[in-house]
Amino acid sequence: MRGRLLPAVWLACAALVAVLVSGAFARFSIEGWGFTYVLDFGETIGLQRVERAQGLPIYVHEGVDGYDAQFYAQLALDPMLGDPRLDESIDSLQYRARRFLMGWSSWVIGGGDPWRVLNVFACFNLATWFGLGALLLRWCSPSRPEDFLRWCGVMLSAGMLGSLRHALTDGPALLALAMAALLVEQRRPWLAALVGTLAPLTRETAVLGTVVLAPVDWRSVRAWLVAGARVAVMVVPLAAWIFYVYHQTGGGVSDGTGHRNLALPFVGYAGRWVELVEAWSVAATPWVVAGVLGHIGVSVQALWVIAQPRWTNVWWRIGAVHVVLLAALGQAVWEGYPGAAMRVLLPLTLAFNLLVPRGRLGLALLVVGNLSVLAGIREMAPPPRPIWAIVQDEPSQDARDWPVRVSFGRGFYAAETSGKDSWRWTADEAVARFENARGAAIPVVLRVALNARGSRTVEMVADGEVVWRGEVGMERSVVDTASFLIPAGGTEVVVRSGAVDFAPGDTRPLGVRVFRLEVVVGQSP
């Protein structure tokens, strides 16, 4: 009875994890912006968008440069690299363009429609997360409880969930590598080479995965010649694409970007320890704690692989070559929380979890080696929800159809969230910009939910006219302004709080807290 019940419980727990991860990812879908939150477009990057991205309702993270997916996603809109202004939109065109398969796939699945392509790209990692989770059942037996820890150690790792949250290439490349390794185990090396081409086409550093094609008999010259032919099959498509990039971008396959990604052996790794110790001495924040635990985990993974050499095991070869990569990673890959290294070393994480033996020692190794799971779970924290919305007679979920768009400027602090509520604090004076995309003035009323840390008189001013003045206290209240016109091009509304307070441990002067700002369109003055 127990033998039949355990696999069902194991699979039910895995299904629950999948539901929870899917639910967490679904929270990144924001009304009007789709899933573009995870593409990490930054406000301060200083680059224009490619032509096909201009005018699209893309969520922009305020006050930051953003992250890598904003470049890969734009390349997905122009997979043949035909836009002559790509250099003005991508921080390093030659470097980014090498990782093209995820973008090409998104373009095909999205039918070339820019809005659909961006959303497919944003969700691509979720599909590969499920694919890898299903594939891992090949090695993680549902009849063994500790194998559930192996499965979770990979699927909830900081690297895997980091790739999912930030729409990056690491997760999809790992799935392709795992498929190639499975085919090698099934003694179908030529098919493994063909499938393995998907990994370096997704992320060029995955060429390290060609180690799966190395001969079991490392002393046989003939075996190495045959393996070399298979490796050529795996890497020639990438070489051909790099050749295309070279000509399409006017020569050169790199502009020097990424030069800090590599360093002398263990210099970057040791520097990460120094960074973590210094950060811990200042403040042991949850992210710092998660960073320390993740670094301990990946260290245990590397030490175990080194301590148990097994050339004939395809997963040991994958792990070993990524231990070499770990030693060579530069400080740029390690820095930050949880750090890009957790994603770059995903193949090591997968290899470690499949190589650890069963038993008490194995159980202890699985727990310590997978400590990055804590950072992975933090990656899926819900985003702040937009605090503004459009109310009109014919509501539209597509922000491209909205007559007005709102942006928060001087005096508005960054969005915050408690998970249930989101809000923005203002200073004593704050400015919101209302963009009017139509050719004629639009009559509106603002419906605002707000409160403050103490009683004060607040006023809202549009084009020099006070459209609302009243008392605001600690209780949340909803107020309606007088109707006013937003002229063609737009206008600004100034919020003046008249007084400020300071929250414990917060040095910001706090005026009022805005929970919701609805632009009610169509009410004439």
Side-chain angles (χ1 to χ4, degrees):
M1 180 65 179
R2 182 177 181 274
R4 293 194 299 271
L5 182 61
L6 186 58
V9 172
W10 195 108
L11 292 172
C13 289
L16 177 61
V17 170
V19 169
L20 292 175
V21 169
S22 300
F25 187 78
R27 293 183 298 185
F28 295 117
S29 175
I30 298 175
E31 181 181 348
W33 282 271
F35 280 97
T36 60
Y37 181 93
V38 304
L39 299 179
D40 290 332
F41 277 79
E43 179 188 39
T44 62
I45 189 65
L47 297 173
Q48 69 174 20
R49 297 177 189 171
V50 296
E51 182 177 354
R52 293 178 185 177
Q54 293 177 6
L56 295 179
I58 296 172
Y59 189 100
V60 177
H61 295 258
E62 298 175 334
V64 296
D65 286 345
Y67 204 50
D68 296 356
Q70 64 183 317
F71 308 119
Y72 299 128
Q74 290 186 80
L75 287 172
L77 299 177
D78 186 18
M80 291 300 292
L81 313 180
D83 189 333
R85 295 178 297 179
L86 279 174
D87 268 330
E88 302 171 11
S89 307
I90 311 300
D91 65 340
S92 174
L93 180 57
Q94 296 86 358
Y95 177 76
R96 305 292 183 190
R98 297 199 295 260
R99 304 172 179 182
F100 84 101
L101 186 59
M102 188 172 156
W104 258 106
S105 301
S106 299
W107 187 84
V108 172
I109 296 170
D113 177 78
W115 179 239
R116 288 199 299 268
V117 170
L118 286 181
N119 281 277
V120 169
F121 190 93
C123 297
F124 199 92
N125 266 267
L126 185 62
T128 56
W129 189 93
F130 273 93
L132 183 64
L135 186 61
L136 279 182
L137 297 178
R138 168 66 176 74
W139 297 287
C140 299
S141 171
S143 63
R144 296 180 180 272
E146 68 267 31
D147 279 8
F148 180 65
L149 292 180
R150 302 175 197 271
W151 189 88
C152 288
V154 177
M155 302 307 297
L156 299 181
S157 66
M160 198 67 194
L161 293 185
S163 181
L164 172 62
R165 156 62 184 87
H166 299 284
L168 298 170
T169 57
D170 308 86
L174 181 66
L175 174 59
L177 178 58
M179 291 190 297
L182 175 60
L183 290 168
V184 168
E185 288 183 334
Q186 294 175 342
R187 298 184 179 181
R188 292 189 280 179
W190 286 106
L191 183 57
L194 288 172
V195 172
T197 60
L198 302 176
L201 289 177
T202 304
R203 183 179 180 85
E204 82 287 354
T205 55
V207 294
L208 292 174
T210 55
V211 72
V212 301
L213 302 174
V216 173
D217 184 3
W218 59 271
R219 293 168 297 186
S220 170
V221 175
R222 181 180 181 280
W224 277 107
L225 292 174
V226 174
R230 292 169 183 150
V231 168
V233 170
M234 189 168 170
V235 302
V236 161
L238 174 63
W241 176 254
I242 290 177
F243 182 76
Y244 176 81
V245 170
Y246 176 87
H247 285 278
Q248 195 68 13
T249 59
V253 295
S254 176
D255 61 359
T257 299
H259 69 279
R260 292 181 60 233
N261 291 348
L262 298 176
L264 294 174
F266 294 106
V267 170
Y269 172 84
R272 176 62 166 176
W273 276 121
V274 173
E275 175 190 357
L276 291 170
V277 170
E278 290 178 348
W280 186 289
S281 66
V282 174
T285 65
W287 270 119
V288 172
V289 172
V292 170
L293 295 177
H295 206 50
I296 291 172
V298 77
S299 301
V300 169
Q301 293 174 11
L303 288 171
W304 178 254
V305 169
I306 293 171
Q308 300 291 321
R310 283 176 280 174
W311 177 260
T312 58
N313 188 306
V314 64
W315 286 109
W316 183 85
R317 298 198 299 272
I318 291 173
V321 74
H322 283 87
V323 171
V324 175
L325 178 61
L326 177 151
L329 290 179
Q331 192 67 26
V333 186
W334 291 106
E335 63 192 10
Y337 301 97
M342 297 294 105
R343 293 183 286 101
V344 173
L345 297 173
L346 262 176
L348 172 60
T349 297
L350 177 52
F352 166 81
N353 278 279
L354 299 185
L355 291 170
V356 166
R358 294 181 171 88
R360 292 183 179 179
L361 173 61
L363 187 60
L365 285 169
L366 287 173
V367 171
V368 180
N370 288 311
L371 289 174
S372 80
V373 164
L374 298 176
I377 293 172
R378 287 191 62 83
E379 285 276 24
M380 302 304 290
R385 312 305 292 180
I387 66 169
W388 68 274
I390 300 297
V391 178
Q392 53 186 343
D393 292 337
E394 298 181 2
S396 173
Q397 299 296 316
D398 191 337
R400 289 174 291 183
D401 299 329
W402 294 350
V404 178
R405 294 187 187 180
V406 182
S407 59
F408 298 95
R410 173 179 54 84
F412 274 99
Y413 299 119
E416 302 172 67
T417 184
S418 64
K420 179 182 178 181
D421 280 326
S422 295
W423 62 85
R424 284 178 181 270
W425 279 103
T426 73
D428 57 340
E429 181 174 291
V431 178
R433 174 74 184 174
F434 294 75
E435 298 289 345
N436 176 0
R438 296 180 178 176
I442 300 174
V444 300
V445 166
L446 303 185
R447 183 167 296 139
V448 189
L450 72 171
N451 76 350
R453 290 185 57 82
S455 179
R456 66 204 54 190
T457 300
V458 177
E459 65 178 19
M460 302 180 199
V461 180
D463 283 336
E465 295 187 10
V466 176
V467 294
W468 183 84
R469 179 186 288 117
E471 292 296 315
V472 175
M474 297 180 68
E475 294 294 325
R476 187 186 312 191
S477 56
V478 179
V479 303
D480 284 0
T481 69
S483 180
F484 64 95
L485 293 175
I486 299 179
T491 191
E492 292 182 346
V493 172
V494 180
V495 181
R496 298 192 178 104
S497 62
V500 296
D501 289 304
F502 294 87
D506 192 339
T507 60
R508 300 175 301 172
L510 303 177
V512 295
R513 176 164 51 174
V514 179
F515 291 93
R516 185 74 170 169
L517 190 159
E518 293 182 347
V519 183
V520 184
V521 176
Q523 298 195 17
S524 301

